[in-house]
Structures are given as structure tokens and as C-alpha cells.
Amino acid sequence: MVLWLSNLVQEALNSLLPVIADYQWCLEIDESLVVQGHAVYLEIVLKNLIENARKYSAPELHISIVTTQLEKHIRITIADRGKGMTESELARAAERFYRADKCTIEGAGVGSWICHKILQLHNGTMEMRPREGGGLEVIIYLPGAVH
């Protein structure tokens, strides 16, 4: 199914409103972008990654969501200014049940793994990297669709 990416992002944000309302958001959402996929599954990915950005950031720090059209793909970047992850933690972040050392945040260690699997089903990928200036960037690549 062809889906408007801006609607998917907005639905994910709306569903998380009770827990994200106090946070600072920077949204750069291209309203013209569409992707091919299953709305419920892609919303699960967005909600999980947005919720992770919130959990690992302080409310006064900005969290950004940026969507970009590339040549053949759509890029979605969710970036926070939390504590980030070490290179060894990043290497294992998409493993099932993996929890970063000394992590005190609630969770079972399956969120990133689930996101990775859902994106594979949509011919997409996900990468995580340290954000310049501190924090973490999670970048999703999905094939673009024609609308």
C-alpha cells in the first residue's frame, strides 16, 4: 500500500503525545514523500524509535525528525541529544534482547531488533550512529514509492 510518510510520522507522534508533550521537537517533514508498506508495522518502527529518543533524552534537549527524498530511497532521521552509545554498543544494538551496559532505562532489549526486522520486510534498512555534539542518530532508509 502507498502511504504518505507525513501521516505515518504524525500518527506515531499523536499516539505518544501523553509521554512526549514536555519534550522539544524539531520536525522537518516533507509532505510529498510516500513509501510502500504496511502502515501499522511502519508506525511501530517510528513509535519505537521516537520513544527511544525520548527515553534517553532530557525534556529540555531537542529531538529531531527529518525526512528526505534521496535518489531511490526515503531517508528518515530521528536524532536526540541523549547520552548516545559507544561503538561496541552500536554494533550490537539491533540484536534481540541486547541492553547496553549500565542501562537503567526500562525495556526488554527487543525494540531495535523488531524495527530492524520490520524494515527488512519493507526492503529497508536502519543504521545508528553517534550524533555530532552528543546523542544518537537513527537513520531509516525505505524504498520510495510513486504516488
Side-chain angles (χ1 to χ4, degrees):
M1 173 180 290
V2 175
L3 306 165
W4 293 98
L5 185 56
S6 60
N7 291 346
L8 286 173
V9 171
Q10 195 59 55
E11 287 296 320
L13 289 169
N14 287 344
S15 70
L16 293 169
L17 201 53
V19 294
I20 66 171
D22 294 337
Y23 284 74
Q24 304 293 319
W25 294 90
C26 177
L27 304 175
E28 295 179 35
I29 310 299
D30 184 335
E31 302 281 332
S32 69
L33 300 181
V34 293
V35 294
Q36 183 82 26
H38 191 284
V40 172
Y41 292 138
L42 290 175
E43 191 175 320
I44 288 169
V45 170
L46 292 171
K47 285 169 53 175
N48 182 71
L49 297 176
I50 292 167
E51 176 66 1
N52 280 351
R54 183 208 59 90
K55 285 195 296 190
Y56 293 97
S57 296
E60 66 274 6
L61 302 175
H62 282 84
I63 299 170
S64 66
I65 303 173
V66 178
T67 61
T68 310
Q69 173 72 60
L70 303 177
E71 187 174 331
K72 294 181 181 180
H73 290 86
I74 304 295
R75 179 177 59 208
I76 307 161
T77 304
I78 301 171
D80 65 54
R81 291 286 182 202
K83 69 175 191 162
M85 297 176 82
T86 66
E87 290 297 325
S88 62
E89 290 169 337
L90 287 169
R92 299 191 60 204
E95 291 179 17
R96 186 170 46 171
F97 303 122
Y98 177 73
R99 300 280 293 152
D101 291 339
K102 301 176 187 156
C103 183
T104 59
I105 305 296
E106 280 187 40
V110 295
S112 294
W113 177 77
I114 289 170
C115 290
H116 176 73
K117 293 300 180 184
I118 290 172
L119 290 168
Q120 280 183 329
L121 293 171
H122 286 82
N123 297 312
T125 60
M126 178 177 76
E127 64 182 61
M128 298 177 177
R129 63 182 180 211
R131 186 175 184 191
E132 191 173 315
L136 185 69
E137 282 185 333
V138 180
I139 303 156
I140 300 168
Y141 296 95
L142 288 167
V146 178
H147 57 90

